Amino acid sequence: LAAFHHKLGTLKFLDPACGCGNFLVITYRELRLLELEVLRVQHKNQQVIGIGDIIWVDVDQFYGIEYDEWPAKIAEVALWLMDHQMNMLISQEFGEYFVRLPLKKSATIVHGNALRVDWESVVPKTELSYIIGNPPFYGKQLQTSEQKEDMKVVFHGVKGAGVLDYVSAWYLLAAKYLKNSNVRGGFVSTNSIVQGEQVGILWNEMYKCDMSISFAHRTFNWSNEARGKAAVHVIIIGFDATLTKNKKLFVYEDIKGEPQEIDAKNINAYLVDSPDVVVLKRRTPICNVPEISFGSMPNDGGNFLMTEDEKEELLSLEPNSSPYVKEIISAHEFLQGKKRYCLWLSGITPDVLKSLPIVQARVQAVKELRANSTRAATKKLAAFPTLFGEDRQPQKRYILIPRHSSENRRYIPMGFFEPSYIASDSCLAIDGADLFDFGMLQSLQHMAWMKYTCGRIKSDYRYSNEMVYNNYPWPKDPSDKQKKEVEERAQAVLDARAKYPNSSLADLYDPLTMPPELVKAHQALDKAVDKCYRSKPFTNETERIEFLFELYGEYTEPLLKVEKKKG
């Protein structure tokens, strides 16, 4: 007990984004309460004389870095105030009035930019015990010019670092500080740094510093009692270079509830009990499957696009334009069951275009818009005014995937279209895909992978061709019987949808209004897909994603055979 008390008095804490000192103040309070418990046992039924001699925890064990001067001053004073409160508690406990006046010790709170300050100049890592904090979250779109410069300094030479959230800079600096030390770190962060393309960029650098995750809280709803403080979805990651053996993962079935604590062999950057693999952007799939691409982008200022009424008006005035009027499918139209049309003039001859003055006027407007653009690439497109800015239209029957979808849906709705339907750039298209491909992609197995590897807009899914689809580990060598069952179950899903022609996909996949027949069809499809991966059923999403990361590792990091040299 005496050794533990001594340890409490020697621990040192750094918050490199301390604000008004909230994390430091609460840490100090909890240390003092632990010390009080020790003293109760050590001095039970004894009269204590000279309380100051047995109180070893003090404010000089705390360090902080804060960008703004006023909060930095508040943090220093706040620790003194907490010290006074705890001294009053000690006085009450032992019946002797105790205050530390005059104030001889204080926390070290440095006023400066933590991303430019050398942390070892604040406290050497040979003396520090823990780094803690809640660094600012700002995404790339919300960063000021100064903050973007900070990111360039911290991530100098790191490819793709421009997409990273501001908080990631604290992670990398902490990792560099912790390397070759016994110091441990832990930050409250936005959950975006464990999703999508940020993971590979940030954690590849973290792993270079020999970092491993010792504990983690998956996404939960973090709120406090401050007036006007909005609740946010966050994670907590603890990390160090000591390869902690007893790793803990805290999983929230309800993000507003209490977590379930799980013992983990290893916690990877996606906060999954799996090997330390990171998913990086790929231009081609890791498996032998059809390639995926963006839909076509008009870059037309709206001149190629038409509502249903505008289409009818054009056809009534220029019926010969009918072969060049196509239905265009954007994510919104696809999910909401609405229709929109476009002029698709690929292959139109000059004489035909000359005979269609209304269409010709729209083409002229496109030409002028592109010619007046400030972008060099758009200016070049003015030479091709009859064509979409980017033409990626599939040539065969294709699967269409909306790039953005609500997080409330258990499945991202996908669908088949003939090449006569134009896929817009708000969607992705898989040219020549079949029923088996559709079944695999509409399964819970694929949805689990998507949730962990896709990006987000707020909390909604942002499906990515290069992150999600191209890295998805498809099952190894499923049998013909297994593939046929997936195809049959996939067709059953399409058939169940077709029974509700007046309902949009948004309504059909709303958890509240999803028809029981469609639910059962998806459940049967999920079972068929699962059998392609293994005979044992998956019981939850965690089990699925752990399995998929293992399989991903097999696809991307095959074991090399080591040939023994002959004597």
Side-chain angles (χ1 to χ4, degrees), residues 171-347:
Y171 271 88
L172 184 55
L173 288 181
K176 290 178 176 179
Y177 182 103
L178 268 55
K179 188 175 183 178
N180 299 322
S181 79
N182 292 319
V183 183
R184 296 184 175 186
F187 290 137
V188 178
S189 314
T190 172
N191 58 8
S192 55
I193 65 166
V194 295
Q195 298 167 348
E197 62 182 317
Q198 291 199 50
V199 179
I201 298 166
L202 171 60
W203 287 92
N204 263 345
E205 297 304 310
M206 296 285 286
Y207 292 146
K208 289 177 184 177
C209 299
D210 302 327
M211 287 299 104
S212 67
I213 297 176
S214 53
F215 73 91
H217 287 252
R218 287 189 188 156
T219 301
F220 66 97
N221 194 71
W222 185 36
S223 59
N224 61 39
E225 297 174 2
R227 183 176 298 174
K229 177 71 174 180
V232 291
H233 293 175
V234 300
I235 54 170
I236 302 175
I237 301 180
F239 51 97
D240 56 54
T242 60
L243 291 176
T244 304
K245 292 183 179 180
N246 299 319
K247 298 176 183 289
K248 300 288 183 181
L249 192 56
F250 297 86
V251 180
Y252 294 77
E253 294 295 331
D254 175 6
I255 62 171
K256 295 183 179 180
E258 293 299 314
Q260 175 188 359
E261 182 179 328
I262 298 173
D263 292 324
K265 293 179 182 177
N266 185 70
I267 302 173
N268 70 14
Y270 298 89
L271 308 190
V272 173
D273 186 357
S274 287
D276 286 330
V277 295
V278 292
V279 178
L280 299 172
K281 281 186 174 182
R282 291 180 56 92
R283 292 190 177 274
T284 57
I286 60 171
C287 299
N288 184 24
V289 294
E291 293 199 5
I292 190 171
S293 68
F294 282 94
S296 299
M297 183 176 71
N299 199 346
D300 66 332
N303 291 291
F304 283 147
L305 305 177
M306 293 174 282
T307 64
E308 193 150 18
D309 289 341
E310 290 169 336
K311 178 205 75 166
E312 294 299 331
E313 182 182 0
L314 172 64
L315 293 180
S316 67
L317 296 171
E318 293 182 353
N320 290 339
S321 65
S322 177
Y324 307 101
V325 176
K326 307 283 187 182
E327 187 171 341
I328 185 169
I329 312 296
S330 74
H332 178 74
E333 277 79 37
F334 175 64
L335 294 171
Q336 300 300 328
K338 298 181 179 180
K339 291 183 182 292
R340 191 164 60 148
Y341 299 85
C342 71
L343 286 172
W344 187 259
L345 302 173
S346 178

Side-chain angles (χ1 to χ4, degrees), residues 130-146:
Y130 296 97
I131 294 176
I132 59 176
N134 169 32
F137 295 169
Y138 308 117
K140 64 174 182 177
Q141 304 294 346
L142 299 176
Q143 292 168 19
T144 65
S145 56
E146 182 183 356

Side-chain angles (χ1 to χ4, degrees), residues 467-510:
M467 288 297 300
V468 181
Y469 181 83
N470 286 344
N471 284 296
Y472 181 54
W474 292 62
K476 288 185 173 180
D477 303 319
S479 67
D480 290 341
K481 181 181 177 181
Q482 289 171 333
K483 293 177 75 170
K484 184 178 179 182
E485 185 177 0
V486 170
E487 290 170 353
E488 290 173 351
R489 300 305 182 189
Q491 185 60 54
V493 167
L494 293 172
D495 293 342
R497 291 181 188 175
K499 292 183 178 180
Y500 301 89
N502 297 323
S503 297
S504 69
L505 286 170
D507 292 337
L508 288 174
Y509 283 85
D510 186 312

Side-chain angles (χ1 to χ4, degrees), residues 410-411 493 496 508-511 513-526:
R410 199 172 192 198
Y411 308 88
V493 167
L508 288 174
Y509 283 85
D510 186 312
T513 58
M514 192 173 185
E517 188 173 7
L518 183 56
V519 173
K520 291 177 181 178
H522 268 286
Q523 289 174 341
L525 174 59
D526 290 333

